[in-house]
Amino acid sequence: MPVHQDNYSLGKQFHAALVTADWEAIRALLHEDAVWELPGDNAISGPAEGADAVVERARKIAGYGVNFTLLHILVSRRNMALSLHNTARRGDVVLDEHLSTVCTVRDGRIAAIETYLSDVDGMNAFFV
């Protein structure tokens, strides 16, 4: 199978595991040394280093009741990105952001994730 098709499948698997809270499936998609970088200054910002920390971050984000609407899976020659629209409500605080989660792929698994956000201030207000 061509690499871009493998990466598309990897993106589908990652998103499906995220929305179903299948933490073991996410863990299986990651390299042991995977890193996830998120911007901002809040409870989920900064680097999550190592596969277990990446899974814990996904679990923490999902624990806020976030809806992860998949808009597109984007593939390059070697890597993959998810275009998402994340929404949630916590009391009077609303999360409504568009983001791109860019994944560096190595040997068919995710080695690094960097998330780009449309509303860092909104994320800071929501994830306290």
Side-chain angles (χ1 to χ4, degrees):
M1 181 179 299
V3 172
H4 74 276
Q5 289 177 353
D6 288 343
N7 288 345
Y8 185 88
S9 177
L10 183 63
K12 289 286 278 189
Q13 291 173 59
F14 185 85
H15 180 258
L18 185 60
V19 299
T20 60
D22 188 344
W23 312 123
E24 289 180 25
I26 289 178
R27 180 68 172 78
L29 299 174
L30 302 169
H31 279 278
E32 191 64 37
D33 61 346
V35 175
W36 186 356
E37 290 276 349
L38 269 165
D41 185 23
N42 59 70
I44 62 166
S45 293
E49 298 179 352
D52 292 336
V54 169
V55 171
E56 185 54 36
R57 168 164 291 159
R59 183 189 304 259
K60 190 171 195 175
I61 294 169
Y64 279 83
V66 175
N67 298 304
F68 307 99
T69 303
L70 179 63
L71 302 177
H72 302 283
I73 297 174
L74 308 162
V75 295
S76 72
R77 185 174 174 94
R78 295 187 187 111
N79 300 305
M80 170 271 297
L82 301 176
S83 173
L84 300 169
H85 180 206
N86 288 356
T87 56
R89 178 178 292 276
R90 187 177 43 75
D92 292 336
V93 182
V94 174
L95 178 72
D96 186 355
E97 65 185 1
H98 291 268
L99 59 106
S100 182
T101 296
V102 179
C103 299
T104 301
V105 179
R106 185 176 76 230
D107 300 324
R109 294 189 345 207
I110 298 169
I113 303 169
E114 185 172 5
T115 300
Y116 297 78
L117 298 167
S118 64
D119 183 9
V120 175
D121 292 336
M123 186 182 91
N124 287 339
F126 189 79
F127 291 102
V128 294

